[in-house]
Amino acid sequence: MDDAAGPALNPLPGRTIADHGIIGNLETAALVARDGAIDYLCWPALDSPTIFAALLDPDGGAFTIAPQADDVRTLQLYVPDTNVLMTRWMADTGAAEMLDLMPYPKTLGGPEEPGLRCILRRITVTRGTMTFAARCAPRFDYARVTPRVTCVADMVAFETDALTIRLSASVPLTPDHDAATTTFTLSAGDTAWFLLGDPALPPSDDATVDALVAETIAAWRGWTARSTYAGRWREAVTRSALALKLLTSARHGSIAAAATFSLPEATGAGRNWDYRATWIRDASFTVYAFMRLGHLEEAEQFRHWAAKRVMAADATHPIRIMYALDGSEAADESVLSHLAGYADSRPVRIGNAAHHQSQLDIFGELLDSVYLSNKYGAAISHAGWDHVRGMVTYVLAHWQEPDAGIWEIRDRPRHFLHSRLMCWVALDRAIRLAVKRSLPAPLVDWSEGRDRIAQDIWDNFRHPDHGYFVQASGGTDLDAALLMMPLVRFVSATDPVWLKTLDAIGVALRDDGMVYRYRNTDGLAGGEGAFTTCTFWYVECLARAGRLDEARLMMAKGLRYANPLGLFSEELDVRAEPLGNFPQALTHLAFISAAYFLDRQLTPGRTPTWQP
């Protein structure tokens, strides 16, 4: 895109990305709109086809519950320290609140046995009297199939030959040809509930539902209480951790980049990608964030997941940039032409063609996570170390090649500084690990290779006139990925060349408190929004440079880019309206890192410690 390009400002739909909260069960996740509609849900897993997709098309299916009044004000919040979402409706004649949740898997089952797989919606009138209309209209297989609607005992079944889900409720349900509907009136103190889930959904009553709510709240609060973070922005850090936990797989240990697919980076621009996969790039960020907050189990589970990918790789089949959540090969990209797309942003894509790309930076991010896990957790196995040595050999043979880079550029490969930097990280962390654990390694060869990469960066990735670092060899463009240079300790955060680079990024890529990834051509039509992750990388770089007042102000601005529930999307338009897939794991990870470091810098009498 050229410098003047920006995200298209097409009219947004009635429910915007920002108007959503997320609930989940560590297997899948649903988006709940501020008006009480569940308009996005993949079932039964996060990377399964949708059963609700009204966020992407009006006919995509939704589960709506709404009061029948004209003067209703709607508010949303999370039950504190949980992923149980509350929607409040307030009117002159009455007020009510609805809890939305999925049972926490370890409450009733375990990682291999999810227990009760369902969505629970419980409505309680707290003042006066209110009448509600509810309509559950799932559309299976990305809205390509309308299920049969039948009555089964006191439940309504939505079924095809491939999938069946059932809806039960404490109020009478009326099956329609393509939905189940009901209208009901409650007075103060009255409650109604709905359970939507697997065919094995058992009959329920008020006591069972109340117990399920209490168990789920207690389970989430038990998880949150494990956090050791007590610094500034604690509430936002806790919400970020809870959002990240919802994106993890209890069964596999992986973490999705986001809960959604094809929410556009710029409305109407065609930049619509599927993020329901696990990127190796997120490995070190994930391990770092969870460890820093005291959630060691999640860090270890992700390390085990990544280790399996390493053990399956060899010189013929090197590590991939991304995988399906179960560790298999990520799905190829395809287009769902029958869906209109969010804000008419076509094409709607599932799968991701980027999984075929060469992105050399992933070796650095992966070996950084291996190093962190060994520094703070269990030691690497002999077989695991053999595979690490194989990866280092691969990096030494290929580090000088062009690639698609961190931003998955879809035009010609280039020599990106960030990719070169992370090849340096791969060698540096392997050397550190070998020395720390006394592991066998050709340390002289590795050290010479690491130094050759460092010299190449200093010699060939500088602006010819100004001397600061640039995006690609021989170029003059800037890239927010350069913000990783001091964060991975390639260069001092106060080095004069780095400070020139930081200032240049501030001039060229920062715009009114938002940070763009780059401004130059990337092989795709249309512009894109500011990248929320880069805002927090920038905050941390300012803090590491000792510019604490700037860092605090940038952090304050960055926090305002979350939606009212504290969730970050991938990107922002020029009005700071959320764009892209949601919620975005990488942004929440970057925020946790920036908050942790900046809080330490601002704490009087702090004891400086080494920062990975």
Side-chain angles (χ1 to χ4, degrees):
M1 67 186 161
D2 57 37
D3 289 359
L9 299 180
N10 291 359
L12 294 175
R15 301 187 190 108
T16 67
I17 296 169
D19 288 334
H20 289 81
I22 184 172
I23 60 173
N25 61 358
L26 313 188
E27 184 178 15
T28 190
L31 297 189
V32 183
R34 199 164 67 91
D35 64 0
I38 297 177
D39 58 1
Y40 179 91
L41 172 63
C42 298
W43 191 267
L46 196 68
D47 51 0
S48 298
T50 57
I51 62 172
F52 299 129
L55 184 60
L56 293 165
D57 189 287
D59 297 322
F63 187 174
T64 59
I65 299 176
Q68 303 300 285
D70 296 329
D71 62 338
V72 177
R73 184 186 181 202
T74 305
L75 303 170
Q76 262 189 338
L77 66 150
Y78 280 103
V79 175
D81 294 332
T82 78
N83 278 315
V84 176
L85 186 64
M86 177 183 289
T87 303
R88 301 188 68 206
W89 293 293
M90 306 182 74
D92 290 341
T93 56
E97 58 190 35
M98 175 170 66
L99 294 183
D100 278 304
L101 61 88
M102 294 187 195
Y104 193 90
K106 293 184 180 179
T107 302
L108 300 176
E112 299 301 328
E113 181 187 348
L116 186 60
R117 185 193 281 140
C118 69
I119 291 175
L120 167 58
R121 319 197 75 185
R122 189 184 73 179
I123 304 97
T124 303
V125 168
T126 57
R127 171 174 56 83
T129 300
M130 299 191 83
T131 298
F132 297 85
R135 185 172 189 266
C136 183
R139 300 291 181 265
F140 292 175
D141 192 23
Y142 299 110
R144 288 181 287 207
V145 176
T146 299
R148 300 183 295 273
V149 183
T150 60
C151 285
V152 179
D154 294 330
M155 303 182 190
V156 172
F158 304 94
E159 55 188 353
T160 65
D161 294 340
L163 177 66
T164 297
I165 58 174
R166 291 187 178 181
L167 175 67
S168 65
S170 61
V171 294
L173 296 170
T174 301
D176 200 346
H177 70 286
D178 64 351
T181 62
T182 185
T183 301
F184 55 97
T185 299
L186 303 176
S187 297
D190 292 342
T191 295
W193 50 260
F194 299 81
L195 284 170
L196 178 70
D198 284 346
L201 198 66
S204 296
D205 54 27
D206 291 352
T208 302
V209 167
D210 291 347
L212 193 56
V213 170
E215 289 169 0
T216 303
I217 288 174
W220 279 117
R221 285 181 170 164
W223 183 84
T224 303
R226 288 165 37 196
S227 174
T228 57
Y229 185 79
R232 296 167 179 81
W233 312 290
R234 184 178 182 276
E235 186 173 346
V237 168
T238 298
R239 179 52 50 201
S240 286
L242 284 162
L244 290 171
K245 182 64 173 175
L246 282 180
L247 297 175
T248 62
S249 168
R251 179 168 299 177
H252 304 297
S254 54
I255 179 169
T260 58
F261 65 93
S262 228
L263 292 180
E265 296 175 359
T267 55
R271 295 169 180 255
N272 316 319
W273 319 114
D274 189 346
Y275 278 13
R276 299 169 302 156
T278 298
W279 268 250
I280 288 295
R281 179 172 298 112
D282 295 350
S284 60
F285 299 107
T286 302
V287 170
Y288 175 88
F290 276 135
M291 280 186 167
R292 279 304 181 208
L293 300 182
H295 294 297
L296 303 184
E297 180 182 342
E298 285 71 22
E300 188 68 7
Q301 287 173 344
F302 191 87
R303 186 188 71 81
H304 279 300
W305 180 90
K308 291 177 183 177
R309 312 290 78 77
V310 172
M311 298 295 283
D314 55 38
T316 306
H317 301 91
I319 200 82
R320 302 294 185 94
I321 70 167
M322 71 176 79
Y323 294 86
L325 300 179
D326 64 1
S328 61
E329 185 173 353
D332 287 330
E333 197 168 286
S334 61
V335 171
L336 301 177
S337 58
H338 64 288
L339 294 179
Y342 175 88
D344 295 324
S345 298
R346 287 187 170 93
V348 175
R349 294 184 179 94
I350 55 174
N352 200 310
H355 79 92
H356 294 297
Q357 289 182 345
S358 170
Q359 298 177 20
L360 293 171
D361 65 295
I362 62 172
F363 295 98
E365 284 116 4
L366 180 59
L367 289 183
D368 194 34
S369 73
V370 172
Y371 174 70
L372 287 172
S373 297
N374 274 266
K375 183 175 176 66
Y376 298 108
I380 193 169
S381 68
H382 176 77
W385 179 243
D386 282 345
H387 280 78
V388 165
R389 292 180 61 174
M391 283 195 292
V392 174
T393 299
Y394 185 90
V395 171
L396 285 169
H398 296 277
W399 67 266
Q400 298 183 75
E401 297 175 0
D403 70 349
I406 182 176
W407 308 129
E408 301 175 355
I409 304 296
R410 295 201 177 195
D411 63 354
R412 61 179 176 81
R414 306 178 196 178
H415 292 276
F416 289 105
L417 187 152
H418 180 266
S419 296
R420 201 64 48 94
L421 169 72
M422 298 312 291
C423 287
W424 177 89
V425 169
L427 286 161
D428 181 74
R429 300 317 191 255
I431 292 167
R432 289 172 183 257
L433 182 55
V435 172
K436 180 178 177 63
R437 296 291 189 189
S438 301
L439 298 168
L443 291 177
V444 172
D445 290 344
W446 287 6
S447 296
E448 290 177 349
R450 177 187 60 182
D451 294 346
R452 284 196 301 272
I453 297 173
Q455 196 61 50
D456 178 64
I457 291 173
W458 283 99
D459 290 345
N460 299 312
F461 291 83
R462 306 270 297 280
H463 193 286
D465 300 321
H466 305 297
Y468 53 71
F469 293 109
V470 293
Q471 179 187 59
S473 176
T476 59
D477 294 309
L478 285 156
D479 186 333
L482 306 185
L483 294 167
M484 292 303 300
M485 296 181 77
L487 304 191
V488 298
R489 296 200 165 235
F490 173 84
V491 65
S492 165
T494 56
D495 184 282
V497 174
W498 168 250
L499 292 178
K500 275 188 176 182
T501 308
L502 182 60
D503 288 339
I505 289 172
V507 171
L509 300 182
R510 187 177 63 172
D511 183 359
D512 196 25
M514 299 184 289
V515 179
Y516 289 78
R517 296 187 289 183
Y518 48 82
R519 297 283 196 180
N520 50 299
T521 303
D522 63 2
L524 294 170
E528 65 163 16
F531 205 72
T532 49
T533 297
C534 299
T535 295
F536 296 111
W537 289 349
Y538 190 80
V539 168
E540 187 166 350
C541 285
L542 289 172
R544 288 177 181 268
R547 293 155 61 169
L548 299 184
D549 287 344
E550 292 179 68
R552 293 181 74 175
L553 180 58
M554 193 71 177
M555 175 68 91
K557 291 180 178 180
L559 280 170
R560 298 298 294 175
Y561 301 144
N563 78 350
L565 292 170
L567 303 174
F568 290 104
S569 65
E570 179 187 8
E571 299 196 5
L572 304 163
D573 71 10
V574 294
R575 301 163 302 179
E577 290 284 354
L579 290 169
N581 286 304
F582 174 86
Q584 170 87 344
L586 190 59
T587 303
H588 285 283
L589 292 165
F591 164 67
I592 289 171
S593 179
Y596 183 90
F597 186 84
L598 181 55
D599 176 70
R600 288 181 63 254
Q601 297 300 102
L602 294 171
T603 300
R606 67 178 181 86
T607 301
T609 57
W610 182 82
Q611 283 289 302

